[in-house]
């Protein structure tokens, strides 16, 4: 299958008749999988089940030759000319439009720039400024409150607190399911994660957005765990701002730049708190006074990270001909099948499913809480046996399912090995299964767990430019 071939939308695979036994069912589901051949677009080890694409996506085969060309020719021979002749200068908007197609944004609204954390800061401060200006123009009470998802990835909370201090607001953490009722006349902006990074719970983007707007406030969505895994519909649902990383389901690579979505209607009012020279209307005029550029270019700050940006652009070639609806259908089929396999293989009471079972409330990962063992040793042993996921202390195992390259046989093997590990590490097992394995399974994280640490640690973790 060529990379340009269009893959038709596929029905949910879980609707097919199920053969007896998980292994036979996996074989039947793989045979019916319309995305099966897409796996060949990625660099993967056949002896390893990689279920950590929700932390770092696999390397697409399209990236190494493209980077070699950029380094040897565009940088090596063309040098400064490449800013114009190789399209370096316009890459943030060009790549932004490609990401926009995956998150439901029309061209001209997404720019690739900086890290997720920096883009959260830009979006939240700009949203507060717009909301406060609206209140002043309408003679309404001052909007001096920022709502933040109480279960958010920590950096979003840190950034929101700093933005609140900077804008004279009060920060109020609220459970995501309560934001629609918590938003009020003093709320300036709500910052919400689309998918919870611990549990994989998918939050109600259309409903929350509508409720925030009905209260006269603005909303910023963090799409780190949903972009590339499920439909988002930013334009369709009237989202104001959105941010996200590109190294998870978009497979942009470690340190790949993040993106910022600014709805077209708000772009003339987007007052960035980081007005760098790259977002100037005349960046090479070198004027002492700042004049913002038009459109999504206002989201730029400094010189783009060209090597990482062009690696991301090449990585997005893996999406050629693929509809996000097909990806979502397979994601749900994969996670459904994993839950069935866990139920079939793992003895009752050893793990508890944390991720919602309802499709409308599930992202593309499954989180399991260990009933009697800490999650770290369990995941360390899983990795040693060739099943790579990650964990969140103290007791949550996370398994991410990337439909572009994860197969149903991978899922069956992961659940079967999990059952074996829990048996071997349990009170009736042969003791510490990792002991005597010949060395550590991964580097020690910042917390000193001796196994994949939390966000920001090494192998099996969610390390990246938040």
């Amino acid at each position: 299958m060529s990379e340009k071939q269009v893959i038709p939308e596929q029905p949910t695979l879980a609707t097919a008749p199920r053969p007896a036994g998980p292994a036979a069912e996996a074989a039947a589901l793989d045979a019916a999988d319309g995305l099966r051949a897409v796996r060949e677009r990625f660099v993967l080890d056949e002896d390893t089940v990689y279920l950590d694409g929700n932390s770092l996506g696999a390397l697409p085969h399209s990236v190494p030759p493209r980077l070699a060309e950029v380094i040897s020719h565009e940088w090596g021979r063309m040098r400064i000319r490449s800013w114009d002749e190789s399209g370096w200068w316009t890459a943030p908007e060009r790549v932004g439009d490609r990401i926009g197609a995956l998150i439901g944004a029309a061209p001209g609204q997404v720019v690739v720039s900086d890290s997720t954390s920096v883009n959260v800061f830009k979006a939240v401060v700009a949203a507060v400024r717009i909301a406060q200006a609206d209140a002043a123009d309408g003679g309404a009470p001052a909007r001096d409150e920022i709502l933040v998802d109480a279960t958010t990835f920590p950096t979003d909370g840190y950034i929101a607190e700093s933005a609140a201090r900077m804008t004279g607001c009060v920060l109020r953490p609220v459970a995501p399911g309560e934001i629609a009722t918590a938003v009020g006349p003093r709320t300036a902006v709500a910052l919400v994660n689309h998918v919870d990074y611990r549990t994989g719970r998918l939050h109600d983007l259309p409903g929350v957005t509508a409720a925030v707007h009905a209260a006269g406030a603005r909303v910023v969505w963090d799409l780190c765990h949903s972009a590339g895994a499920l439909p988002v519909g930013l334009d369709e649902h009237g989202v104001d701002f959105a941010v996200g990383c590109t190294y998870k389901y978009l497979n942009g690579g470690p340190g790949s730049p993040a993106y910022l979505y600014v709805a077209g209607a708000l772009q003339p009012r987007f007052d960035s708190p980081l007005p760098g020279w790259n977002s100037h209307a005349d960046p090479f005029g070198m004027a002492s006074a700042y004049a913002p550029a038009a459109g999504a270019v206002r989201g730029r700050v400094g010189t783009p990270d060209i090597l990482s940006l062009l690696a991301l652009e090449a990585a997005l070639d893996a999406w050629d001909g693929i509809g996000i609806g097909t990806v979502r259908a397979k994601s749900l089929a994969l996670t459904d099948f994993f839950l069935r396999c866990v139920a079939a293989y793992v003895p009752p009471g050893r793990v508890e499913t944390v991720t919602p079972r309802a499709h409308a409330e599930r992202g593309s990962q499954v989180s399991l809480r260990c009933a009697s063992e800490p999650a770290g040793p369990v995941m360390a042993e899983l990795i040693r046996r060739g099943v790579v996921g990650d964990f969140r202390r103290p007791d949550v195992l996370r398994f991410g399912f990337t439909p572009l390259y994860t197969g149903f046989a991978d899922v069956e093997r992961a659940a079967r090995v999990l059952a074996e590990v829990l048996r071997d590490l349990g009170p009736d097992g042969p003791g510490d299964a990792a002991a005597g394995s010949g060395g550590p399974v991964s580097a020690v994280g910042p917390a000193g767990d001796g196994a994949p640490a939390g966000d920001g640690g090494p192998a099996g973790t969610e390390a990246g430019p938040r």
Side-chain angles (χ1 to χ4, degrees):
M1 180 184 66
S2 73
E3 293 192 357
K4 297 297 183 182
Q5 179 179 347
V6 175
I7 297 174
E9 296 289 321
Q10 301 291 318
T12 301
L13 297 174
T15 60
R18 299 176 189 170
E25 185 179 353
L29 288 168
D30 278 329
D33 178 14
L35 293 176
R36 186 177 185 181
V38 179
R39 181 184 177 97
E40 299 172 3
R41 302 180 186 181
F42 294 87
V43 178
L44 294 164
D45 303 318
E46 291 304 318
D47 59 349
T48 299
V49 175
Y50 188 67
L51 299 181
D52 211 8
N54 56 322
S55 289
L56 178 65
L59 171 68
H61 282 293
S62 55
V63 173
R66 175 60 179 137
L67 272 184
E69 177 188 23
V70 171
I71 292 170
S72 63
H73 179 68
E74 295 181 9
W75 180 14
R77 292 186 174 88
M78 297 182 69
R79 293 174 287 276
I80 196 70
R81 292 164 50 201
S82 281
W83 284 106
D84 290 324
E85 296 178 34
S86 299
W88 287 4
W89 187 260
T90 57
E93 293 76 52
R94 182 176 70 246
V95 181
D97 284 344
R98 293 186 68 178
I99 293 173
L102 296 173
I103 57 178
Q109 298 177 103
V110 178
V111 64
V112 177
S113 174
D114 307 304
S115 68
T116 306
S117 297
V118 173
N119 286 329
V120 168
F121 181 69
K122 296 177 201 172
V124 170
V125 173
V128 170
R129 289 173 173 173
I130 290 172
Q132 290 179 338
D134 287 342
D137 291 344
R143 291 190 175 269
D144 56 4
E145 174 186 75
I146 297 174
L147 301 184
V148 63
D149 173 354
T151 60
T152 189
F153 188 85
T155 197
D156 288 20
Y158 306 155
I159 295 294
E161 182 183 16
S162 178
R165 293 198 308 268
M166 179 177 178
T167 58
C169 290
V170 173
L171 185 67
R172 182 155 69 101
V174 178
E178 299 174 3
I179 287 178
T181 55
V183 64
R186 303 193 73 91
T187 305
V189 61
L191 170 61
V192 197
N193 283 255
H194 196 198
V195 174
D196 186 283
Y197 77 100
R198 292 184 186 87
T199 67
R201 176 179 289 276
L202 173 64
H203 295 129
D204 181 9
L205 182 146
V208 171
T209 300
V212 171
H213 287 170
R218 301 292 176 175
V219 66
V220 178
W221 284 94
D222 184 326
L223 308 179
C224 284
H225 286 270
S226 55
L230 52 90
V232 178
L234 294 180
D235 288 351
E236 176 186 358
H237 302 302
V239 169
D240 301 308
F241 298 92
V243 301
C245 62
T246 60
Y247 50 83
K248 302 185 194 308
Y249 298 109
L250 298 180
N251 309 296
S256 58
Y259 58 89
L260 169 67
Y261 165 87
V262 183
L266 294 180
Q267 288 176 4
R269 305 179 63 197
F270 177 56
D271 182 9
S272 174
L274 297 173
W277 77 286
N278 255 237
S279 64
H280 197 284
D282 182 15
F284 294 98
M286 303 300 170
S288 58
Y290 179 73
V297 176
R298 288 192 183 193
R300 295 172 64 156
V301 181
T303 306
D305 299 323
I306 287 298
L307 296 182
S308 293
L309 182 56
L310 297 185
L312 167 62
E313 183 175 33
L316 292 172
D317 289 347
W319 285 89
D320 284 351
I322 298 172
I324 195 67
T326 297
V327 170
R328 177 58 169 167
K330 183 177 176 183
S331 167
L332 292 171
L334 287 167
T335 49
D336 280 344
F337 183 55
F338 182 67
L339 291 171
R340 294 200 300 273
C341 289
V342 168
Y345 288 136
V346 176
R350 298 303 301 275
V351 294
E352 172 194 359
T353 302
V354 178
T355 305
R357 293 181 180 272
H359 286 182
E361 299 175 2
R362 188 194 310 165
S364 199
Q365 75 181 54
V366 173
S367 296
L368 303 174
R369 177 170 288 117
C370 295
S372 57
E373 294 85 16
V378 174
M379 184 54 67
E381 183 59 16
L382 278 168
I383 293 173
R384 192 183 73 82
R385 299 188 190 191
V387 176
V388 179
D390 64 17
F391 75 97
R392 292 295 171 262
R393 291 178 289 170
D395 57 2
V396 173
L397 303 169
R398 295 196 323 166
F399 301 93
F401 299 85
T402 305
L404 297 189
Y405 55 75
T406 302
F408 291 89
D410 295 328
V411 172
E412 186 273 335
R413 177 183 167 191
R416 177 164 36 85
V417 174
L418 172 62
E420 294 168 359
V421 169
L422 291 172
R423 178 198 65 210
D424 292 345
L425 292 182
D428 298 326
D432 183 1
S437 62
V441 298
S442 69
V444 177
D449 294 323
D455 297 82
T461 74
E462 192 168 340
R466 295 285 299 203

